[in-house]
Amino acid sequence: MVGFIMSVSKGNIKKNKNNLYNPEDIEKRLEPLFTAGIYSTLINQPKHTKKWNKNMWQTSHEGTFNDYVTMKPGDNIYFFIDRKIYGIGKLKKVGFDCKYKNYPKASQPYNYLFDSIKNEILFRKENDPNYRWICTFEPNPYFFKKGVDMDEALSSAPGSFRMLRAFWKKSFIKIDDEENSALKDLNLKANQKNIHTPNTNTVFEFNSLGHRLIDSKLKDSTRIDSYLLDTLEIVRQCIDGEKIAHEMALEGHLLHKLDAQNPQPFLLGKWDYISHQVIASPHKPVDYMDAIDIFGYKFLKGYNTIYKYCVIEVKAGSATKQDINQLMKYVDWVAQEYAHGDYSMIEASLITNGFNKNVIDHQELVGRRQFAKGNRPTYSAEWSSLNLVKYWYDGNDVNFKQIN
């Protein structure tokens, strides 16, 4: 089971004379959130760009939406404030899903006045139309009032926490099964005395009224579907009629296609876990960390055993030799950090709008790895699972074709 860690702003909470936040004020800040079981990210208004002569989403907006796209009922959810992580919850299906547009046109990069959408909004917060997308959750088993310190988490299982180390200047992050399990265990151990005898002093109360109100307002037009089909304004940012201007927007579309819950077939298969901008660097300042555009894995059918990883590099324009080199760097990282040297567990893809002969030849030259398998006897194997995939937009949808 995967998880999400959401950042909660401190609002107007002020520090005390010791330059610290009072625990009581933090608790009051969290209480309405946990009682309602509804979370929404406040985003900045989309900006008007002179180049395109219209409002456009920024990369940060698209990245936030992409994280919502991959949410599934049953995923765990935690909340971070004042250096502590509070849990444990899980995303809950209300009506069709656990995630929604907060009003039918929320995914379009227009600046709305609250009065124009107030009768359609699912979750009213501060009467602000820039709470564009929401998710619904419930305690699992409880939201404990005792949070886990960030340093305590990182030191408890150093090998498990990868994304948590890069939780910086983000509204929320997605963590994989291993990282989620480590964080869940830490929360349970920290609150072991309260698990079987919870009370209002140790856990936050939950009321399902907010979920029932949302359920009564749901429409097909509030579902979150494929990003590029849902937000045509992004699609119309194509160059020469077929290129997509923002790589982050293309990532969102791919996340939808690769998700195992999407019934439509896709040439790169379906993946049980799929995420974007996954850290692929040793520990160093966050601004200098490399990130895999799209990373995922799949389980053996009927088991929680990972047998295959996907590594995808996305470029809006045409491919270069450097793109191949970068992707192979990520392949080596995943082989080392996740697959324990077994390259056969990895499928890699470079998705761009075009490939020239020099790039294809370079892929043939550097897109291979020799590695050892087995033990007594050990044998040599070769990895060459690097796919070159061309994308183009035809005025209606994004198409993909493997060229090698």
Side-chain angles (χ1 to χ4, degrees):
M1 186 180 296
V2 307
F4 292 85
I5 306 175
M6 330 303 273
S7 180
V8 180
S9 72
K10 299 180 184 71
N12 57 5
I13 300 177
K14 295 181 180 179
K15 292 184 177 180
N16 58 27
K17 62 182 181 181
N18 297 319
N19 200 35
L20 299 171
Y21 294 101
N22 291 319
E24 296 81 5
D25 292 335
I26 296 296
E27 185 176 316
K28 289 179 181 178
R29 182 70 175 167
L30 292 171
E31 190 169 25
L33 179 66
F34 293 152
T35 299
I38 306 167
Y39 173 82
S40 182
T41 306
L42 177 63
I43 65 173
N44 297 326
Q45 289 191 345
K47 296 180 180 179
H48 187 273
T49 61
K50 292 182 179 179
K51 180 179 179 180
W52 301 98
N53 193 29
K54 60 185 176 183
N55 284 359
M56 291 179 66
W57 291 122
Q58 306 301 305
T59 297
S60 60
H61 300 144
E62 294 164 357
T64 297
F65 185 91
N66 292 351
D67 287 323
Y68 276 98
V69 164
T70 65
M71 289 181 172
K72 301 176 184 177
D75 290 346
N76 283 127
I77 187 168
Y78 309 84
F79 293 86
F80 175 77
I81 184 172
D82 191 28
R83 294 179 53 87
K84 292 186 177 180
I85 302 169
Y86 293 82
I88 307 165
K90 69 175 180 180
L91 294 174
K92 178 178 175 58
K93 183 178 180 180
V94 174
F96 313 121
D97 202 352
C98 65
K99 58 186 182 290
Y100 292 97
K101 290 177 280 185
N102 202 14
Y103 47 92
K105 296 182 179 180
S107 294
Q108 297 181 9
Y110 303 143
N111 294 323
Y112 298 99
L113 296 175
F114 180 76
D115 286 345
S116 68
I117 52 92
K118 66 180 181 181
N119 294 327
E120 298 178 296
I121 201 163
L122 298 179
F123 174 56
R124 178 178 294 197
K125 188 173 182 181
E126 301 168 5
N127 288 351
D128 193 328
N130 289 305
Y131 289 97
R132 300 279 183 144
W133 307 291
I134 67 170
C135 64
T136 52
F137 58 89
E138 64 182 359
N140 181 237
Y142 306 106
F143 279 110
F144 298 106
K145 291 188 176 181
K146 182 180 180 180
V148 173
D149 185 82
M150 173 74 87
D151 287 348
E152 182 183 357
L154 292 175
S155 62
S156 67
S160 297
F161 290 110
R162 298 180 178 95
M163 291 300 294
L164 187 58
R165 295 183 181 280
F167 195 9
W168 174 252
K169 297 180 180 179
K170 296 178 182 290
S171 54
F172 60 94
I173 58 172
K174 183 176 183 179
I175 56 178
D176 64 20
D177 291 76
E178 180 183 358
E179 195 162 352
N180 178 55
S181 179
L183 186 56
K184 185 190 298 185
D185 288 347
L186 189 60
N187 269 271
L188 291 173
K189 286 186 289 187
N191 290 278
Q192 56 188 295
K193 295 181 180 179
N194 307 319
I195 294 174
H196 301 296
T197 57
N199 58 64
T200 55
N201 294 321
T202 59
V203 302
F204 289 95
E205 293 185 345
F206 167 72
N207 189 319
S208 61
L209 175 61
H211 290 182
R212 295 197 299 271
L213 290 174
I214 286 176
D215 194 17
S216 68
K217 300 178 184 178
L218 292 176
K219 304 175 181 177
D220 281 341
S221 56
T222 56
R223 292 189 190 219
I224 290 180
D225 294 313
S226 171
Y227 187 42
L228 292 182
L229 297 178
D230 183 34
T231 314
L232 293 178
E233 290 301 316
I234 293 291
V235 178
R236 295 182 182 126
Q237 296 170 22
C238 297
I239 301 171
D240 296 332
E242 65 169 26
K243 295 181 184 178
I244 298 170
H246 290 180
E247 289 173 7
M248 191 66 75
L250 182 55
E251 283 181 23
H253 187 70
L254 284 163
L255 289 169
H256 177 79
K257 285 186 172 293
L258 291 159
D259 194 319
Q261 289 191 328
N262 185 345
Q264 297 177 338
F266 187 52
L267 64 86
L268 297 181
K270 299 293 183 177
W271 299 84
D272 296 303
Y273 172 84
I274 196 77
S275 189
H276 73 119
Q277 298 301 309
V278 173
I279 296 304
S281 290
H283 186 56
K284 57 185 175 180
V286 175
D287 288 344
Y288 298 100
M289 284 187 175
D290 291 326
I292 302 170
D293 287 342
I294 296 177
F295 170 77
Y297 50 76
K298 61 179 66 173
F299 298 115
L300 287 172
K301 189 174 182 180
Y303 299 90
N304 289 328
T305 300
I306 298 171
Y307 78 98
K308 193 71 71 175
Y309 295 95
C310 78
V311 182
I312 299 176
E313 180 75 358
V314 178
K315 296 296 179 184
S318 296
T320 66
K321 291 182 179 180
Q322 179 55 35
D323 296 332
I324 300 288
N325 296 340
Q326 186 70 32
L327 178 56
M328 291 307 301
K329 179 181 177 181
Y330 295 151
V331 168
D332 291 337
W333 172 265
V334 172
Q336 173 187 337
E337 291 292 316
Y338 293 88
H340 308 292
D342 186 354
Y343 281 85
S344 68
M345 296 179 67
I346 302 171
E347 291 183 9
S349 300
L350 175 61
I351 300 178
T352 78
N353 188 243
F355 298 87
N356 61 38
K357 185 177 185 301
N358 288 337
V359 173
I360 296 174
D361 290 344
H362 188 65
Q363 177 265 329
E364 289 289 338
L365 179 66
V366 304
R368 299 174 183 275
R369 289 291 186 267
Q370 301 293 327
F371 64 103
K373 289 202 70 172
N375 187 23
R376 299 183 182 180
T378 299
Y379 62 94
S380 179
E382 182 179 79
W383 177 90
S384 59
S385 299
L386 199 167
N387 305 307
L388 303 182
V389 179
K390 174 183 169 62
Y391 89 86
W392 71 97
Y393 178 67
D394 63 8
N396 181 52
D397 198 358
V398 185
N399 301 280
F400 300 88
K401 180 181 179 180
Q402 186 168 337
I403 68 167
N404 67 332

